[in-house]
Amino acid sequence: MEYKEKHRRHRRTIFKKWFLNNRLSIILLNILLFFLVIWVFNKISFVLNPAWLFFSAILPPLMLAIIQFYIMNPVVDWLERKFKVPRVITIIALFLIVVVALVWIINTLFPIVQGQIDSLVKNWPHIWNDAVNATQNALRDPHLHGVKNNINNMIDHAQKTLFKSGRTAVSATLGNIFSAISIITMIFMTLLTAPFILFFMLKDGHNLRPYITRFAPQRWQKSFSQLLYDINDALASYIRGQITVAFWVGIMFAIGYTIIGQPYGIALAILSGVLNLIPYFGTFISIIPAVVIAIIVSFPMLIKVLIVFVIEQTIESRLISPLVMGNKMEMHPVTTILLLIGASAVWGLWGVIFGIPIYAILKIIISRVYNYYRRVSKVFDDEEVAPSDTENVKQGKKIEKNK
């Protein structure tokens, strides 16, 4: 009888050691449960479709309001904290400043930019053909005969891709009139509702974190509040940093293109600023039309455009980005590039726009959950103790024993 009891206890110990307290088993079990949850949600997707439609309808004005909130909220908080200015007064003043700025842009800059964009769109086929002819003339140099066929093939492939994409876009536009109407309606509703959402976010946004924290269990409220603070700080740093860097990139390109006399310089500078919202790739994509136009103008203009690009990249990477962004996202450049490639392949443009913020949020949540699991789980009890802490651990055990 005693032998059977020992044998059963030994089997229970082996089962507990190799399954219940085994890291690999716990990890595999968590992965299995994760994919099981995904499978279940996939099976009941018809139930979630109305919720997704509702979420997709409110997402555009909400995102626009959130972006403006992270830009304006520091000003509102600073004036309230420093000079005791009521939030409502500051918000109304900021709204008036935005309205005045929009009126000035529409009356002053918009006609210039619109004229350059219209001219660029209308003349782009001729500019592209002239650039192709100029490249082919340059390739007639006997020294470049070896690479001539490869470059010609690349040009032909690019032309076919552009024309195919253009035909597809035109066909899709003509065949989806109702879709175009819905998009126009969505834009109108976004511009109409976003200011109201923004007003109340600026007015009561500082009370949102304490309000959400109340729904967490009492013993988790402190850590949950800190989690919300970290997520908010990461999003604020990313949005403010990206918009600030994009603004100064557009300014630098506008100054550089104006100095060298680049045609369509203002339109190209605005394009560079907008595309710079895509980390690492945006500026390099925006330089392509500038290089094509410079090739048409003259070879010295091409050299000037490249010099402007090098100067802009140097100032942005050495001064503006470190000063504005710092290392608050704590993301390695390789991680960012791979994330953008993967997100764009899966979700297209939306993946490029939202990939990094979503990654930052998930990283904060997963790291906090993992640290909590390490703290409460017995799976990590067998980890090696650092040599510097060994003596402290021994002293602690002695004290516990004496107690």
Side-chain angles (χ1 to χ4, degrees), residues 47-101:
V47 178
L48 302 176
N49 282 338
W52 171 248
L53 291 175
F54 175 81
F55 179 74
S56 61
I58 67 173
L59 183 61
L62 186 61
M63 290 303 303
L64 181 59
I66 288 174
I67 292 173
Q68 294 174 309
F69 169 80
Y70 282 124
I71 296 173
M72 296 182 179
N73 190 60
V75 179
V76 178
D77 288 341
W78 182 74
L79 289 176
E80 183 185 31
R81 183 177 62 254
K82 190 77 173 177
F83 302 103
K84 308 300 181 183
V85 180
R87 298 182 71 88
V88 175
I89 295 177
T90 307
I91 295 168
I92 294 175
L94 288 175
F95 274 41
L96 292 175
I97 292 173
V98 170
V99 170
V100 171

Side-chain angles (χ1 to χ4, degrees), residues 114-216:
Q114 184 183 21
Q116 290 195 4
I117 292 176
D118 291 342
S119 178
L120 179 60
V121 171
K122 186 169 75 172
N123 296 325
W124 180 252
H126 304 290
I127 294 173
W128 177 262
N129 290 331
D130 292 341
V132 171
N133 294 331
T135 305
Q136 290 176 344
N137 291 333
L139 292 175
R140 289 173 184 170
D141 189 335
H143 298 89
L144 300 177
H145 184 71
V147 297
K148 179 179 179 180
N149 292 331
N150 293 332
I151 295 180
N152 284 333
N153 291 333
M154 291 172 60
I155 292 174
D156 292 338
H157 178 72
Q159 285 180 322
K160 292 178 181 178
T161 303
L162 288 172
F163 291 147
K164 183 178 179 181
S165 300
R167 288 196 300 268
T168 303
V170 171
S171 301
T173 302
L174 294 176
N176 295 281
I177 301 297
F178 291 105
S179 178
I181 294 175
S182 65
I183 291 174
I184 294 173
T185 304
M186 181 192 71
I187 294 174
F188 175 76
M189 292 302 297
T190 298
L191 296 177
L192 183 65
T193 57
F196 294 97
I197 299 174
L198 175 62
F199 176 83
F200 289 104
M201 287 180 68
L202 290 171
K203 179 177 177 292
D204 303 319
H206 59 289
N207 296 323
L208 182 61
R209 183 159 60 98
Y211 176 76
I212 297 176
T213 303
R214 293 189 309 171
F215 293 97

Side-chain angles (χ1 to χ4, degrees), residues 79 220 291 380:
L79 289 176
W220 289 353
V291 169
F380 295 91

